[in-house]
Amino acid sequence: MVKTKSVYVCSNCGNDSSKWLGKCPVCGEWNTYVEEIINKDKPSAKSGLHVFDTDKAKPLPLEDVQTSEEPRIDLRDGELNRVLGGGLVAGSLVLIGGEPGIGKSTLILQTVLGLNEIKTLYISGEESARQLKLRADRIDSDSRNCFIVCETNLEQIFVHIRNLNPELVIIDSIQTIFTDVAESSPGSISQVRECSAAILKFAKETNTPVVLIGHINKEGSIAGPKVLEHIVDTVLQFEGDQHYMYRILRSIKNRFGSTAELGIYEMRQNGLREVSNPSELLLTQNHEGLSGASISAAIEGIRPFLIETQALVSTAAYGTPQRSSTGFDLRRMNMLLAVLEKRAGFKLIQKDVFLNIAGGLKVNDPGMDLSVISAVLSSSLDISVEKHVCMAGEVGLSGEIRPVNRIEQRILEAEKLGFSKILVPQNNLKGFTSKVNIEIIQVRKVEEAFRQLFG
Ligand code: TYD
Ligand code: MG
């Protein structure tokens, strides 16, 4: 007789308990326990399911461990290579997460189709081979070395892998795959955990890189237990606004590179295009004479780019003024409005304020502050900011403008794009030695910046 037993598993941290709990005692989250059936008679994935036990690892003194550079596969995609830290490391397990329809499958399919000399197996649990072919036709590339199989059973997947012996494996998506050792349905915590552990074992033992595509739940984190993020070597997040063409690929965790890297793509009719010079796309071509727009020399990851901040201030029609912001943290905007009220004497209490960062991008750089308040003030006064002026600076609670990182890169980028003046925080230029063809104005307080901009 098959003995079954159910356990309750926390969907946040993966902790299990024999009874349901309202609050997880390990991670402290509420309402995260879900019931899962476990089958006692079946062997667990840990106890020798897999066929890839080549030679067993032996303990080695640390000094004898070889430290030659990990061999990396050049993915022929500058953005993806950079985000991965210089290419895909052999034997690494990479997880790409993102909302549905953002372009995860497109990005990966397009990448593998461009790798003609690498034998790739694309395992699709979501789309049929025909759908994939239609997509590949849209992307318009011909590859002889990309094999497709629609399969969701992990044991079958390993059979295909053994038969084909690919150099790169793609699994789209990890939530659709299930293994016979776990009883619960695909996408459940124990399935995701068992499958990814088995795939990790395969990747490490055969030194084959594997890319997993993962779904995101409504809170914006990768669906499945947090352990999934712990298991893999690299977690990338593909994000963007569905209504805009731009997509950002961020590295959230990377055992083989920096997490400060960022890739920008544009979704086209025929696939994704790398955006190697973001500034040119993120600036409205001609905003001369328009109030409410200001340009910030921002840094995302380690790349500088110039981006337009747009604000609209209008008289509040109802009692409570509306505040809305796209691409910029709303709480931070409210803080900046309070600073503006105190320092510039504007009665923003009676005004609706709308803020938008051009291109549908989400920017986290604190150096955006100065351009946010300049745009709000510009709209409120209905005076435009001069066309060739840009700025960077964090604004503190007392209206002081605080230094920002990588000021040199910001200034050089602004110069490169033909700006004639840049406002920067005072005392931020220590060690800045380059000769530049752009007027640098140092400002200490927001009042000084306003005087420079609006006279
Ligand atoms: P997809 O890669 O299927 O998203 P995910 O795998 O993250 O769910 O992307 C689907 C969207 O991308 C779809 O709405 C159509 C759009 N798209 C294009 O605009 N151009 C293209 O060439 C392709 C293939 C898709
Ligand atoms: Mg997909």
Side-chain angles (χ1 to χ4, degrees):
M1 200 183 90
V2 179
K3 263 191 281 170
T4 56
K5 186 182 145 205
S6 68
V7 292
Y8 293 86
V9 185
C10 170
S11 54
N12 186 52
C13 69
N15 183 47
D16 51 20
S17 150
S18 57
K19 59 182 199 303
W20 189 82
L21 297 172
K23 184 183 179 189
C24 176
V26 175
C27 65
E29 288 292 314
W30 287 90
N31 262 335
T32 50
Y33 274 79
V34 289
E35 183 179 8
E36 287 196 357
I37 312 289
I38 48 171
N39 193 333
K40 276 284 178 193
D41 282 358
K42 293 210 174 164
S44 113
K46 290 167 199 108
S47 62
L49 159 76
H50 302 297
V51 267
F52 293 100
D53 299 289
T54 41
D55 49 319
K56 288 266 180 289
K58 279 194 291 290
L60 270 184
L62 191 56
E63 60 203 63
D64 293 354
V65 176
Q66 300 290 324
T67 51
S68 56
E69 269 289 291
E70 311 94 1
R72 290 187 187 249
I73 300 176
D74 174 7
L75 295 174
R76 304 271 171 76
D77 176 328
E79 304 290 296
L80 195 54
N81 275 342
R82 192 150 38 73
V83 174
L84 287 170
L88 186 62
V89 175
S92 67
L93 188 57
V94 178
L95 174 67
I96 298 193
E99 286 179 17
I102 205 78
K104 304 178 292 297
S105 308
T106 307
L107 174 69
I108 297 302
L109 188 65
Q110 163 177 340
T111 306
V112 298
L113 290 179
L115 295 174
N116 240 332
E117 70 287 5
I118 291 173
K119 199 202 267 179
T120 311
L121 178 60
Y122 191 108
I123 296 149
S124 173
E126 298 191 339
E127 289 166 296
S128 66
R130 215 182 135 255
Q131 278 173 308
L132 281 167
K133 174 77 175 120
L134 287 174
R135 188 199 295 268
D137 289 344
R138 243 177 120 174
I139 294 167
D140 189 29
S141 84
D142 62 324
S143 169
R144 309 266 158 268
N145 236 345
C146 177
F147 295 80
I148 302 233
V149 60
C150 298
E151 182 56 70
T152 52
N153 181 284
L154 188 70
E155 285 69 26
Q156 284 302 317
I157 288 174
F158 281 133
V159 171
H160 291 304
I161 289 177
R162 222 171 323 144
N163 293 342
L164 188 70
N165 206 6
E167 293 160 274
L168 169 64
V169 177
I170 313 291
I171 297 186
D172 185 2
S173 64
I174 181 69
Q175 277 90 1
T176 56
I177 306 296
F178 71 96
T179 160
D180 295 335
V181 284
E183 198 77 340
S184 45
S185 55
S188 68
I189 298 141
S190 50
Q191 285 288 2
V192 169
R193 192 173 45 196
E194 295 289 311
C195 292
S196 43
I199 294 166
L200 177 78
K201 193 160 184 249
F202 156 73
K204 298 294 167 205
E205 282 173 5
T206 60
N207 218 16
T208 312
V210 181
V211 178
L212 305 175
I213 294 180
H215 293 169
I216 263 188
N217 59 20
K218 56 180 185 301
E219 289 85 38
S221 51
I222 289 162
K226 262 268 178 274
V227 285
L228 180 54
E229 285 177 46
H230 288 300
I231 288 175
V232 300
D233 296 308
T234 305
V235 181
L236 305 181
Q237 182 133 321
F238 206 36
E239 55 187 48
D241 191 317
Q242 293 255 358
H243 305 292
Y244 289 92
M245 306 106 62
Y246 302 112
R247 302 282 183 267
I248 291 192
L249 187 66
R250 270 180 218 283
S251 157
I252 295 178
K253 160 184 175 179
N254 194 352
R255 288 191 182 139
F256 307 108
S258 141
T259 50
E261 291 292 1
L262 184 95
I264 302 183
Y265 291 90
E266 184 186 357
M267 181 62 98
R268 292 267 185 106
Q269 279 303 313
N270 53 353
L272 290 152
R273 187 183 70 89
E274 295 169 42
V275 176
S276 38
N277 184 4
S279 302
E280 279 170 14
L281 290 158
L282 298 172
L283 296 174
T284 313
Q285 299 317 322
N286 194 359
H287 67 280
E288 197 165 9
L290 299 178
S291 68
S294 78
I295 311 283
S296 177
I299 297 262
E300 264 297 297
I302 55 165
R303 261 203 305 180
F305 54 83
L306 282 105
I307 188 163
E308 187 177 317
T309 313
Q310 300 160 344
L312 175 66
V313 178
S314 66
T315 310
Y318 304 103
T320 326
Q322 288 192 60
R323 300 283 145 89
S324 126
S325 142
T326 319
F328 190 79
D329 183 30
L330 187 61
R331 271 182 300 177
R332 183 124 194 121
M333 177 178 99
N334 282 328
M335 186 282 269
L336 293 174
L337 292 180
V339 171
L340 198 56
E341 174 132 31
K342 190 98 178 166
R343 295 288 142 191
F346 283 91
K347 293 274 168 289
L348 286 157
I349 268 298
Q350 293 133 18
K351 306 276 193 192
D352 287 342
V353 179
F354 304 97
L355 187 76
N356 180 32
I357 307 293
L361 290 192
K362 223 186 268 144
V363 190
N364 300 321
D365 177 18
M368 291 284 293
D369 291 357
L370 188 54
S371 80
V372 168
I373 56 175
S374 304
V376 171
L377 196 57
S378 158
S379 173
S380 173
L381 295 170
D382 202 17
I383 302 176
S384 63
V385 176
E386 254 180 88
K387 191 180 170 207
H388 291 294
V389 177
C390 64
M391 59 203 81
E394 180 180 345
V395 174
L397 286 181
S398 50
E400 80 278 19
I401 297 180
R402 312 169 64 129
V404 289
N405 62 352
R406 300 179 187 267
I407 191 73
E408 185 157 355
Q409 272 176 287
R410 297 178 198 248
I411 294 172
L412 295 174
E413 180 75 7
E415 183 200 20
K416 197 169 89 193
L417 288 161
F419 283 81
S420 58
K421 214 192 253 186
I422 181 165
L423 269 58
V424 300
Q426 189 121 48
N427 301 329
N428 207 171
L429 293 177
K430 282 186 212 103
F432 182 81
T433 43
S434 322
K435 253 232 84 33
V436 286
N437 190 16
I438 178 171
E439 188 185 349
I440 300 175
I441 299 174
Q442 302 193 37
V443 285
R444 202 158 47 88
K445 287 199 257 163
V446 288
E447 292 94 321
E448 283 173 34
F450 296 156
R451 233 171 295 129
Q452 287 289 342
L453 295 169
F454 308 110

